[in-house]
């Protein structure tokens, strides 16, 4: 297996970002989060970055064709030649089809789509329990990693606040959008033999060990 081209997806709060960053460090592959990638393209003022900026400045969604163009540019950079970890895209089946077409043009294909999933109750508890200090942005969770004093940062004593989009009603809406738009990708990648499932309700280390074991098996199967 000369390349390891991975898609990482799952509901918000399932822990895919944590897993993506650990994979990036261990596999030495670029972790490409769509939002970060768009901001980088805008900062570098590439042609597609400038186009994306016009939509972002107006508060509009960046069209799929522009995002695909930015991703295609990013995947041709030197650090992505051995593979990549793509997080946040695709979110819909049309986006998945467009990504497949662009990868084909580059002579590449997806190795696996890694689904980190977790029950709705767990996701709501994780996200709605987050608190962030006003001074330096230190993050706590009142359920899993609470501060020593309620609503006060252990490190600098500043007040802890809950982000507006972390409130339970907002989290439920984000989950509804995921269910409507992104969950169909589960069947999409399963039908193509690319889907690998991981239980995001388990500890981050357990999830990561399972992912690494799965990738090792994929490499072994490729050599047979």
């Amino acid at each position: 297996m000369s390349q390891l081209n991975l898609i990482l997806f799952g509901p918000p709060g399932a822990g895919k970002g944590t897993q993506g960053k650990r994979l990036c460090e261990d596999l030495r592959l670029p972790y490409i989060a769509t939002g970060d990638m768009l901001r980088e393209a805008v900062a570098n003022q590439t042609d597609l970055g400038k186009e994306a900026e016009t939509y972002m400045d107006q508060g509009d969604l960046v069209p799929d064709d522009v995002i695909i163009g930015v991703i295609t540019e990013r995947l041709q950079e030197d650090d992505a030649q051995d593979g990549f970890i793509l997080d946040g895209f695709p979110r819909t089946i049309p986006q998945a089809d467009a990504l497949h077409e662009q990868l084909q043009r580059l002579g590449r294909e997806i190795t696996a789509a890694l689904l980190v999933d977790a029950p709705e109750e767990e996701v709501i508890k994780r996200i709605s329990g987050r608190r962030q200090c006003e001074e330096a942005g230190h993050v706590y969770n009142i359920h899993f990693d609470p501060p020593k004093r309620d609503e006060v940062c252990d490190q600098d004593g500043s007040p802890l606040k809950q982000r507006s989009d972390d409130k339970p009603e907002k989290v439920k809406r984000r989950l509804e959008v995921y269910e409507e738009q992104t969950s169909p990708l589960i069947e999409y990648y399963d039908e193509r033999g690319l889907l690998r499932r991981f239980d995001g309700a388990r500890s981050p280390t357990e999830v990561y060990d399972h992912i690494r074991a799965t990738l090792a098996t994929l490499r072994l199967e490729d050599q047979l």
Side-chain angles (χ1 to χ4, degrees):
M1 186 179 297
S2 58
Q3 295 181 0
L4 201 56
N5 302 324
L6 305 173
I7 290 173
L8 193 59
F9 75 111
K16 57 185 173 61
T18 298
Q19 302 303 325
K21 289 168 185 173
R22 290 188 65 173
L23 287 169
C24 168
E25 292 173 1
D26 282 1
L27 300 176
R28 297 183 180 179
L29 296 176
Y31 172 60
I32 305 172
T34 309
D36 294 341
M37 179 193 59
L38 284 172
R39 285 187 286 272
E40 183 179 343
V42 169
N44 292 336
Q45 286 292 285
T46 67
D47 289 342
L48 285 167
K50 292 176 183 177
E51 187 174 354
E53 186 176 25
T54 63
Y55 294 97
M56 295 164 71
D57 284 347
Q58 296 170 22
D60 295 331
L61 291 175
V62 179
D64 286 357
D65 60 334
V66 177
I67 297 178
I68 281 288
V70 174
I71 289 174
T72 302
E73 283 185 344
R74 180 66 182 86
L75 298 185
Q76 294 180 78
E77 294 182 15
D78 290 343
D79 66 339
Q81 295 314 298
D82 291 331
F84 56 83
I85 303 160
L86 189 58
D87 180 5
F89 193 92
R91 292 182 184 270
T92 65
I93 287 178
Q95 289 179 351
D97 285 336
L99 177 63
H100 174 69
E101 291 175 7
Q102 285 299 321
L103 287 174
Q104 278 193 319
R105 292 191 180 115
L106 297 175
R108 305 172 74 166
E109 59 184 13
I110 296 298
T111 305
L114 311 179
L115 169 65
V116 181
D117 208 354
E120 180 176 321
E121 299 79 13
E122 177 72 13
V123 166
I124 292 174
K125 188 175 182 180
R126 286 181 182 180
I127 298 178
S128 65
R130 287 194 301 217
R131 300 292 186 273
Q132 191 168 18
C133 83
E134 293 184 340
E135 185 69 29
H138 302 122
V139 178
Y140 300 82
N141 190 292
I142 60 174
H143 304 296
F144 308 110
D145 181 28
K148 294 175 183 177
R149 290 187 296 158
D150 287 347
E151 306 300 330
V152 177
C153 178
D154 294 342
Q155 300 186 54
D156 56 38
S158 66
L160 298 178
K161 298 294 184 182
Q162 182 184 47
R163 286 175 19 183
S164 62
D165 58 345
D166 283 349
K167 294 184 182 298
E169 62 273 15
K170 296 285 185 67
V171 177
K172 287 181 180 179
R173 178 54 190 153
R174 287 162 65 187
L175 288 171
E176 288 173 0
V177 171
Y178 169 81
E179 189 63 30
E180 294 167 4
Q181 298 184 0
T182 306
S183 66
L185 290 175
I186 297 173
E187 182 177 357
Y188 178 95
Y189 285 117
D190 196 23
E191 289 177 346
R192 289 157 177 76
L194 296 172
L195 185 72
R196 301 294 184 273
R197 295 174 179 264
F198 304 94
D199 183 3
R202 302 177 72 89
S203 73
T205 298
E206 288 177 305
V207 176
Y208 185 70
D209 289 345
H210 187 189
I211 292 175
R212 286 305 307 264
T214 298
L215 296 179
T217 300
L218 286 173
R219 288 185 182 277
L220 183 61
E221 290 173 349
D222 187 65
Q223 294 171 4
L224 296 179

